[in-house]
Amino acid sequence: PDERGTMRDIGRFRVLAVDDVARHRYQGNTADMKEDLKHLRQQGLIRCRTLWLARGGDKAKIVTLTKQGERLMRKDGPEGQVIYSGFVKRAEIAHDTAIYRAYQAEAARIEKEGGRIGRVVLDFELKRQVYTPLAKIRTQVSPADYRKRQAEVAQENGLKVVGGRVRLPDLRIEYQTRD
């Protein structure tokens, strides 16, 4: 169960800092975490790397799913949850790992109030949902019609247009309340 939960979190968030996995998934028990990560790595389900996050910045050990891990989690994960694998641009890693920490704080509040997390939606998924239909019509309609369609697409996705742009959150948590 710990390994599956760890893989679920990695897949939901694309990339995690190993320190955050230890803190949030294993409540600081690094020995158990290291053993689980070793086991997952041996099965070819995850990949770990140590990277410099920025010039002269901090070094971080990060983990992501492999394609094989992604396929397994797609079969076994929550319905409708997008699963990610592979490393991303180095410039985005610090930002992406910070999203997981913010999620943990908000998820704790939701669960304390009796809620249950269903799935998480990262900005990558929202961008695809918003910009794909808009890209198809951008050059085919008048600016006024484009703005109208932009507002419709934003509303369909629970978002707003501000200053001519659809405002996308880094993370959306979908959950059920106690009631």
Side-chain angles (χ1 to χ4, degrees):
D2 284 342
E3 289 178 8
R4 284 192 183 280
T6 298
M7 286 182 64
R8 182 197 66 227
D9 279 4
I10 295 168
R12 281 178 161 180
F13 290 92
R14 228 173 41 157
V15 61
L16 296 182
V18 171
D19 289 345
D20 290 335
V21 174
R23 184 178 310 110
H24 297 291
R25 292 282 319 143
Y26 292 85
Q27 290 72 47
N29 187 338
T30 57
D32 283 353
M33 179 207 61
K34 286 179 182 179
E35 188 64 32
D36 285 351
L37 293 183
K38 178 182 172 186
H39 188 240
L40 292 169
R41 212 173 29 252
Q42 288 171 339
Q43 295 176 76
L45 300 172
I46 64 166
R47 183 170 291 123
C48 295
R49 279 182 144 170
T50 301
L51 298 173
W52 293 100
L53 296 180
R55 282 201 167 117
D58 294 330
K59 185 167 64 167
K61 188 165 188 176
I62 57 172
V63 60
T64 188
L65 292 180
T66 61
K67 285 291 183 188
Q68 181 180 346
E70 177 185 352
R71 283 190 297 274
L72 178 64
M73 290 314 298
R74 284 180 193 262
K75 286 187 225 171
D76 196 40
E79 190 174 324
Q81 178 64 58
V82 173
I83 302 294
Y84 299 94
S85 66
F87 289 100
V88 297
K89 296 181 214 170
R90 185 176 303 211
E92 295 179 7
I93 290 173
H95 174 262
D96 290 350
T97 57
I99 291 171
Y100 180 69
R101 289 188 292 276
Y103 162 80
Q104 287 296 333
E106 191 62 18
R109 185 194 63 75
I110 290 166
E111 290 169 355
K112 182 179 177 186
E113 294 174 3
R116 200 177 98 241
I117 306 292
R119 71 183 200 113
V120 298
V121 181
L122 297 181
D123 60 345
F124 312 106
E125 185 178 350
L126 287 171
K127 284 176 186 174
R128 190 171 41 248
Q129 291 171 348
V130 169
Y131 293 128
T132 299
L134 293 176
K136 292 177 182 176
I137 66 160
R138 184 158 191 98
T139 59
Q140 300 170 355
V141 299
S142 69
D145 286 342
Y146 179 81
R147 285 191 301 276
K148 181 180 176 195
R149 181 65 182 132
Q150 183 185 46
E152 291 169 356
V153 169
Q155 186 176 12
E156 290 166 7
N157 288 282
L159 302 168
K160 293 183 180 192
V161 177
V162 178
R165 294 179 163 230
V166 178
R167 293 296 177 197
L168 299 167
D170 291 328
L171 171 69
R172 175 184 286 167
I173 303 172
E174 296 178 357
Y175 63 97
Q176 292 179 339
T177 64
R178 177 182 21 221
D179 301 325

